[in-house]
Amino acid sequence: MKEIILAYQGEMSLKGLNRATFESVLLKTMRRRLKSLGNFKIYKAQSTMYAEPAGDEDIDAAEERIGKIFGIAAISRAAVCPKDFAVIADTAKEYLCGALRAAKTFKVSAKRSDKTFPMDSMEIARELGGVLLSAYPHLKVDVHHPDVNVTVEIRDFAAYVHGGKKPGAGGLPVSTSGKAALMLSGGIDSPVAAYMMAKRGLSLACVHFASPPYTSLRAEEKVCRLLERVSAYAGRLYMVTAPFSHIQEEIRERCPEEYFTLIMRRFMMRIAQRIARRQNCSALVTGESLGQVASQTIQAIACTDAVAEMPVFRPLIGMDKSEIVLASRKIDAFDISIEPYEDCCTVFTPRHPTTRPELAKVEEAESVLDIDALVEESVQGIYTRKIVPGQTEFDFA
């Protein structure tokens, strides 16, 4: 029995004249994600994407990968059969045998996109329901909360029988909303921010700040593993690492302690902007949540944004820590995020950071530094790594 995966659009269907562009990106993404699994024919018809294996390709793995592609609202793994009711009924009995034997209740849903089919949707549902009740007499019909939703779709190419839709990743295809640079630490927040902005169609360049010898290669490898988890949803990513030790040492030696973190954040913003322009990005993304730490109060964020020359997106700004942790677990990043390898944000942490900074005083505090030279030095020292889904080893030679 031939199986196929149906992937259904969500908000993409509202895109009007731009819809074809979104669909084209989604088809390319599906082809790229399934390429390593073998020969899948990927095509579109009637607002649905089809993933059809040519032979004995791993359809379980394909279903898992498609379920993580942004732009797909729901998926169904279906049996394909000719548009003949007797064949459809036999297919439903056989294909859904395991689910129906284990269930207590069921319903039949039918969608007839091909209006030349002689039975309408209500007739298909009624007749197939009778066939299944005869084949599985232990079942009862429950149209509101069935254990199994037997679904028949009569489409242009064939009839498709499945046990209902599963939720997809939702959102918009990656790259359809442009490109942004994500400021990435090794903590819980920034990988979640990456996931959330990729879901809104942003392609991401990821900027990480390293402070050797205060931070180790293990800390950097941890960030690579976090990005690999994000890449399962966002696709191929590039991590740009910028050296930050000298800047932090200069801040420690020459600036008031209560402004350490804030001045550090302003430098990160400047460097990230320089990298963003090189990467053709139009915005920055951070994992900040309002009030979570001293550098994330309204006043502190305003002082940080004062050096920003492009939009700064903060998708976690209204989330509390428990919500962020829940999202981190969803993308399988939490266990990596809490590994005890320090990043540069924990270096030279002030004992009593200011929570209500005034911009004029912050600018005065950092005026003793050669800002342009320090930023240029960091930018000149950047290096880039490619992160792809499924990557397990990273070269730190």
Side-chain angles (χ1 to χ4, degrees), residues 43 56 83 91 153 224 257 273 277 321 393:
Y43 56 98
D56 59 353
K83 291 184 282 186
T91 301
E153 300 188 41
C224 290
E257 183 182 359
Q273 284 183 141
R277 294 190 184 101
K321 200 65 179 182
E393 295 185 3

Side-chain angles (χ1 to χ4, degrees), residues 268-289:
M268 287 180 171
M269 192 74 74
R270 293 181 178 108
I271 295 166
Q273 284 183 141
R274 289 278 299 274
I275 294 170
R277 294 190 184 101
R278 289 188 177 188
Q279 298 284 331
N280 297 315
C281 297
S282 302
L284 299 177
V285 179
T286 81
E288 293 165 302
S289 172

Side-chain angles (χ1 to χ4, degrees), residues 262 265-266 269 288-307 312 314 317-318 354-359 362:
L262 195 53
R265 294 289 298 174
R266 285 163 61 89
M269 192 74 74
E288 293 165 302
S289 172
L290 185 63
Q292 183 170 245
V293 294
S295 64
Q296 295 175 21
T297 64
I298 290 178
Q299 295 87 346
I301 289 173
C303 288
T304 303
D305 279 0
V307 300
V312 181
R314 294 179 170 90
I317 196 69
T354 181
T355 58
R356 297 177 182 272
E358 297 177 19
L359 179 58
V362 174

Side-chain angles (χ1 to χ4, degrees), residues 170-218:
L172 298 172
V174 172
S175 80
T176 56
S177 294
K179 188 176 182 181
L182 168 78
M183 296 169 63
L184 181 77
S185 71
I188 298 171
D189 300 340
S190 50
V192 175
Y195 165 83
M196 292 178 68
M197 295 314 301
K199 186 174 183 178
R200 296 312 306 153
L202 274 182
S203 174
L204 297 171
C206 303
V207 181
H208 176 66
F209 297 91
S211 297
Y214 308 106
T215 60
S216 68
L217 286 178
R218 293 297 298 272

Side-chain angles (χ1 to χ4, degrees), residues 16-183:
L17 296 177
N18 293 324
R19 182 171 166 179
T21 301
F22 286 78
E23 291 176 338
S24 176
V25 172
L26 183 54
L27 287 170
K28 289 178 182 177
T29 301
M30 290 178 66
R31 292 187 184 106
R32 187 165 57 247
R33 298 283 183 91
L34 299 187
K35 184 177 180 180
S36 64
L37 296 179
N39 186 14
F40 281 85
K41 181 181 179 182
I42 309 296
Y43 56 98
K44 177 190 74 72
Q46 299 172 316
S47 302
T48 302
M49 310 296 168
Y50 296 70
E52 181 179 343
D56 59 353
E57 285 77 9
D58 189 344
I59 198 165
D60 292 329
E63 181 182 16
E64 181 181 0
R65 292 188 186 183
I66 292 173
K68 293 180 178 179
I69 296 175
F70 291 130
I72 295 174
I75 59 174
S76 297
R77 183 165 161 175
V80 185
C81 66
K83 291 184 282 186
D84 177 280
F85 180 77
V87 179
I88 292 170
D90 288 341
T91 301
K93 286 190 293 183
E94 180 182 352
Y95 184 63
L96 299 174
C97 176
L100 292 172
R101 287 187 185 280
K104 294 181 179 179
T105 61
F106 82 110
K107 67 177 285 190
V108 178
S109 301
K111 180 180 179 181
R112 186 186 61 151
S113 299
D114 179 2
K115 303 305 181 185
T116 64
F117 191 75
M119 302 168 67
D120 63 28
S121 298
M122 293 295 293
E123 290 175 315
I124 296 170
R126 183 176 62 247
E127 294 300 322
L128 182 56
V131 170
L132 294 177
L133 282 172
S134 296
Y136 302 97
H138 70 284
L139 288 173
K140 293 183 179 180
V141 175
D142 183 345
V143 298
H144 299 293
H145 304 288
D147 295 332
V148 179
N149 184 5
V150 178
T151 304
V152 178
E153 300 188 41
I154 310 296
R155 293 176 167 267
D156 287 351
F157 307 122
Y160 303 90
V161 178
H162 56 84
K165 297 178 181 178
K166 297 179 181 179
L172 298 172
V174 172
S175 80
T176 56
S177 294
K179 188 176 182 181
L182 168 78
M183 296 169 63

